[in-house]
Amino acid sequence: SSDASGPITIDRAVAEDSIQEKAAVYDGTGDEHYDVISAMIKSVRGGDPDAAIYWIARMLDAGEDPRYIARRLAILASEDIGNADPRAIVIADSCWSLVERSGMPEARITLAQCAIYLALAPKSNASYLAIDAALPDVRTGRTVPVPVSLRDPNSSPLDGGDGASV
């Protein structure tokens, strides 16, 4: 029988063994976490599925939360692929949903499938550029009233504001 009166020491190895997973630590500063996700994103953006899979494997092996990777892939589908392949965002959303529901180790396959699809998809950042060009106008007061023809007839008067019928 063991003596339960002494102190119990739980170090990283004991903790990892107890959950049979590694804790997500790439280096002491945490910078590598951001460097590796950046490398994965740039690999997908650059059309290199092999590199994207390598970086995903690095993250998963370090214990990265697969939901974080799925979230980044979904963002990338909008930012970098957009309407060049409208299916990309649907696939990324499905990937995120499946990763949430399946968990590891199966989620690794879903992440790989999504990353390969996104890496091989045509790229367009037109939506990203469009919204970023419109926001400064709105924020600096460059706004116009909604034209009568575009107003909701159920909530706006059908006249132009001057009492005349349109």
Side-chain angles (χ1 to χ4, degrees):
S1 134
S2 64
D3 181 12
S5 63
I8 298 172
T9 303
I10 299 176
D11 60 12
R12 179 183 209 88
V14 171
E16 285 176 354
D17 187 53
S18 73
I19 59 173
Q20 298 183 2
E21 284 185 25
K22 293 181 182 177
V25 173
Y26 299 91
D27 63 17
T29 66
D31 288 344
E32 195 170 358
H33 162 81
Y34 296 106
D35 290 344
V36 174
I37 194 68
S38 177
M40 187 276 291
I41 291 166
K42 289 176 181 170
S43 297
V44 171
R45 191 178 288 151
D48 189 342
D50 293 330
I53 297 302
Y54 169 79
W55 295 116
I56 289 172
R58 281 272 307 269
M59 287 184 280
L60 292 174
D61 188 60
E64 185 65 72
D65 185 344
R67 296 171 301 181
Y68 172 74
I69 300 168
R71 176 181 170 272
R72 296 304 312 197
L73 288 169
I75 293 166
L76 187 148
S78 285
E79 285 184 350
D80 297 297
I81 297 167
N83 287 326
D85 183 349
R87 294 170 299 192
I89 196 167
V90 175
I91 288 168
D93 180 50
S94 294
C95 170
W96 195 352
S97 177
L98 287 168
V99 165
E100 288 278 352
R101 293 191 325 240
S102 65
M104 289 295 286
E106 293 81 3
R108 77 192 191 288
I109 303 163
T110 304
L111 291 168
Q113 181 181 2
C114 181
I116 291 168
Y117 184 92
L118 298 180
L120 297 175
K123 309 299 188 283
S124 171
N125 66 350
S127 298
Y128 181 89
L129 296 175
I131 193 67
D132 280 357
L135 284 170
D137 284 348
V138 172
R139 289 179 180 147
T140 59
R142 264 186 87 190
T143 58
V144 296
V146 177
V148 173
S149 62
L150 299 178
R151 292 183 188 172
D152 179 358
N154 296 318
S155 63
S156 298
L158 292 180
D159 62 40
D162 59 4
S165 190
V166 209

